[in-house]
Amino acid sequence: MDIIATIIALLSTIPFIVFIILFIVLKKLTNQATRSTKMAADLSCFLFVIAFIGLVDYVFNVFLMWELMLFYIVFLALIITYQWRKGEEIYIMRAVRFVWRASFVMLSVAYFLLVPIAIFLQLY
């Protein structure tokens, strides 16, 4: 069990490198850049969640796991409400995929903003 925890800890400290490796491997397998990018983002988003929670805990000394879950639920509810208000059929999986990919973008930006802060705090 310690090996699995170590692997997850290592991968979550460098999620963007994992994203690039996944993209390269999936690009070789599928020969489609767009599909490979989406699949790599979907697979590496979980690592960005772990890295974000860890970085926020390190920098601000706040554990945001429950708040992040609540954010996902509210964001999903907003997307489903938007689909309903627009008058189109409600597709739950499309909404979940949109929330997951939007969170990948938001967490990537947050990761790149928090890493320099964490490095600065470690040095001083």
Side-chain angles (χ1 to χ4, degrees):
M1 194 64 170
D2 290 335
I3 295 172
I4 295 172
T6 304
I7 291 172
I8 290 173
L10 178 67
L11 293 178
S12 67
T13 56
I14 50 169
F16 210 78
I17 294 174
V18 173
F19 169 76
I20 293 170
I21 291 170
L22 280 172
F23 171 75
I24 292 169
V25 169
L26 292 169
K27 177 81 166 76
K28 296 260 187 219
L29 292 175
T30 63
N31 290 328
Q32 296 175 348
T34 305
R35 186 171 179 212
S36 300
T37 304
K38 291 177 181 179
M39 289 174 63
D42 289 343
L43 294 172
S44 64
C45 188
F46 182 71
L47 297 174
F48 276 100
V49 168
I50 294 171
F52 173 75
I53 291 172
L55 281 170
V56 168
D57 186 34
Y58 180 75
V59 172
F60 300 111
N61 204 16
V62 176
F63 190 67
L64 290 180
M65 187 175 74
W66 299 111
E67 290 84 354
L68 193 62
M69 286 179 159
L70 181 63
F71 171 77
Y72 280 135
I73 292 169
V74 169
F75 194 27
L76 183 62
L78 288 172
I79 299 300
I80 292 172
T81 304
Y82 175 76
Q83 286 180 350
W84 172 68
R85 288 284 192 176
K86 197 173 175 185
E88 63 184 38
E89 192 167 338
I90 296 173
Y91 295 105
I92 300 294
M93 285 309 297
R94 183 182 294 170
V96 168
R97 193 175 322 120
F98 179 80
V99 168
W100 191 247
R101 289 184 182 157
S103 73
F104 171 78
V105 172
M106 290 184 288
L107 292 172
S108 298
V109 170
Y111 177 79
F112 284 116
L113 291 174
L114 287 172
V115 165
I117 295 170
I119 292 171
F120 179 77
L121 287 176
Q122 183 68 32
L123 293 176
Y124 294 104

